[in-house]
C-alpha cells in the first residue's frame, strides 16, 4: 500500500514530526519514573535513538524532504507519512500506524509489552 504525497507545509511537517518524537520521549520518561523499563534515549535534531537494556536499538529519524519519519528496528526499516485526514503517521507500504508499529517492535526488543501512544 502506498500513500499519496504529503499535503503538509514544511512548517507543519516539522511541528508534527517534533511532536511525534517528543511523545516517544515523554512515554519513555514515564516508564522510567514508574520503573517499567530503562530505555536510554539520545536525540540529535530529528534523530531519536532508543537503547534497550539488552543492547538493541530502535532509531526514529525525520526525513524533511520527503515529509516522512523513518523507523529502524531489528524487525526492519519502515517509512511513515502523515495522513492529514486521519491525524496519524501511516506506513507507506503496509498502512500500519507509526505508534502501533513502534509498540510492536519495542515490545519485541524489550521482552516486555510496551504501548506507545502519540500524535
Amino acid at each position: 500500500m502506498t500513500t499519496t504525497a504529503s499535503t503538509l507545509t514544511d512548517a507543519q511537517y516539522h511541528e508534527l514530526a517534533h511532536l511525534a518524537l517528543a511523545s516517544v520521549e515523554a512515554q519513555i520518561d514515564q516508564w522510567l519514573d514508574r520503573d517499567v523499563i530503562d530505555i536510554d534515549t539520545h536525540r540529535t535534531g530529528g534523530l531519536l535513538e532508543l537503547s534497550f537494556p539488552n543492547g538493541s536499538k530502535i532509531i526514529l529519524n525525520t526525513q524533511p524532504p520527503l515529509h516522512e519519519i523513518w523507523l529502524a528496528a531489528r524487525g526492519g526499516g519502515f517509512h511513515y507519512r502523515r495522513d492529514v485526514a486521519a491525524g496519524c503517521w501511516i506506513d507507506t507500504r503496509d498502512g500500519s500506524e507509526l505508534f502501533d508499529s513502534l509498540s510492536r517492535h519495542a515490545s519485541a526488543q524489550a521482552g516486555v509489552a510496551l504501548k506507545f501512544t502519540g500524535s
Side-chain angles (χ1 to χ4, degrees):
M1 168 185 252
T2 58
T3 58
T4 58
S6 172
T7 57
L8 299 174
T9 66
D10 287 346
Q12 289 169 322
Y13 164 78
H14 286 290
E15 179 181 346
L16 291 167
H18 170 78
L19 288 172
L21 296 184
S23 174
V24 171
E25 290 175 305
Q27 181 64 65
I28 290 171
D29 286 344
Q30 288 177 10
W31 289 333
L32 184 59
D33 289 345
R34 294 192 332 244
D35 204 26
V36 173
I37 189 167
D38 185 5
I39 300 172
D40 290 327
T41 62
H42 179 73
R43 187 163 173 185
T44 305
L47 186 140
L48 177 60
E49 181 178 278
L50 313 180
S51 299
F52 292 82
N54 64 6
S56 68
K57 296 180 189 254
I58 290 179
I59 308 293
L60 292 165
N61 193 9
T62 60
Q63 296 296 317
L66 301 173
H67 286 190
E68 293 180 354
I69 295 176
W70 291 1
L71 181 150
R74 281 185 174 169
F78 308 90
H79 301 179
Y80 298 86
R81 193 171 296 136
R82 187 74 178 185
D83 181 323
V84 177
C88 57
W89 296 92
I90 300 295
D91 187 291
T92 60
R93 288 178 291 189
D94 70 9
S96 62
E97 194 274 329
L98 171 64
F99 292 98
D100 288 341
S101 297
L102 178 58
S103 298
R104 186 173 57 257
H105 291 287
S107 296
Q109 289 183 218
V112 60
L114 300 171
K115 177 69 176 153
F116 286 92
T117 56
S119 52

